[in-house]
Amino acid sequence: TFNLLDPITNTKNVMTLDGAVNKTALSMGILLLAGYYTYTNQFTQFVWPGFIGGFVVALITIFKKEWSPITVPIYACLEGLALGGISLIYAQNFYDGIVSQAIMLTLGILFALLFAYKSKMIKPTENFKLGLFAATGGIALVYIISFFMTLFGGSGLPVMDPSNSSMISIGFSLIVVAVASLNLVMDFDFIEEGAEKGAPKYMEWYAAFGLLVTLIWLYLELLRLLAKLNSRR
């Protein structure tokens, strides 16, 4: 439980909505700059180091939330390096414009869900949270199974293949995009609740981290979905 602090003498020590928004914007700026660097210079060798490094830093952030002001910018930079490279791979293997379309769709979903949340069109009730947690866990299990299949010489699950344009594969991607999008509502709720309860100042960075993780997941799944749709042509 967060401690409520004196609103007059301790305002600089508690989480605020504006502070969380600013930290999120700064983190996204770092990610976009790093991504732009690898994309424009056509560096694909940073994909795996970026994702693996980002995963390690993410674990540190989760278990040491008070380190967020340091770890989150590092995470944003590493993920940006990886995303720039993987975006380039998609652009080279599928079609020009897929990256810009995925970025626009990601931002469009972000603002649409933010509007829906602020206007109370979507309410993160306990049942909503439980259902979303179960759906996210199920998708994570599919990812893990596919990953281990590739480790043992396989090509992973067919539904994870960006060139698989079957209706089942596209349907799976649509479900994943929907679940990833709804996770944004959970992030908004976390930020608002933290600000209302007077969470420690470093939680602004942790809230930005949570939103960044969801946006990265959503962007990658939109790239996969667009690639599958293009393969049907």
Side-chain angles (χ1 to χ4, degrees):
T1 304
F2 300 131
N3 294 321
L4 291 172
L5 302 179
D6 187 311
I8 298 177
T9 60
N10 296 293
T11 50
K12 292 185 178 180
N13 299 320
V14 298
M15 177 181 178
T16 64
L17 193 59
D18 286 344
V21 170
N22 292 337
K23 302 301 189 298
T24 301
L26 182 57
S27 299
M28 288 184 65
I30 294 171
L31 183 143
L32 289 171
L33 283 173
Y36 180 79
Y37 171 75
T38 51
Y39 185 84
T40 55
N41 288 285
Q42 300 190 352
F43 292 150
T44 58
Q45 63 266 35
F46 291 125
V47 172
W48 281 112
F51 278 136
I52 294 172
F55 179 71
V56 172
V57 175
L59 289 178
I60 295 172
T61 305
I62 291 169
F63 290 104
K64 286 289 185 180
K65 295 179 177 62
E66 62 273 20
W67 292 3
S68 295
I70 297 172
T71 59
V72 175
I74 296 173
Y75 172 80
C77 182
L78 288 170
E79 289 293 324
L81 293 174
L83 288 180
I86 203 164
S87 296
L88 179 64
I89 292 171
Y90 269 92
Q92 291 175 340
N93 287 278
F94 291 96
Y95 65 95
D96 290 335
I98 188 172
V99 174
S100 58
Q101 287 177 9
I103 291 173
M104 293 304 294
L105 282 170
T106 302
L107 293 176
I109 291 171
L110 170 64
F111 291 117
L113 266 295
L114 180 59
F115 174 79
Y117 174 77
K118 295 301 290 183
S119 61
K120 306 298 182 184
M121 292 171 63
I122 297 179
K123 297 180 181 179
T125 62
E126 288 305 314
N127 287 336
F128 176 89
K129 294 177 182 179
L130 183 63
L132 192 58
F133 178 79
T136 304
I139 292 169
L141 184 61
V142 173
Y143 287 167
I144 292 170
I145 292 172
S146 184
F147 175 72
F148 277 105
M149 285 176 66
T150 59
L151 286 182
F152 293 101
S155 57
L157 291 172
V159 293
M160 299 294 289
D161 184 357
S163 62
N164 183 355
S165 59
S166 70
M167 292 306 296
I168 293 176
S169 179
I170 291 174
F172 174 77
S173 286
L174 286 171
I175 291 171
V176 176
V177 166
V179 172
S181 300
L182 290 175
N183 267 275
L184 290 171
V185 176
M186 301 289 287
D187 296 324
F188 300 149
D189 186 59
F190 178 84
I191 292 172
E192 192 168 62
E193 186 176 338
E196 288 175 355
K197 292 185 176 180
K201 192 69 175 176
Y202 63 79
M203 291 299 289
E204 292 177 352
W205 281 105
Y206 189 75
F209 165 72
L211 195 55
L212 206 61
V213 169
T214 305
L215 287 171
I216 290 169
W217 177 29
L218 177 60
Y219 170 72
L220 287 172
E221 286 304 325
L222 283 168
L223 274 178
R224 196 194 309 271
L225 176 59
L226 289 171
K228 289 178 180 180
L229 292 172
N230 180 71
S231 296
R232 288 186 66 85
R233 296 177 182 177

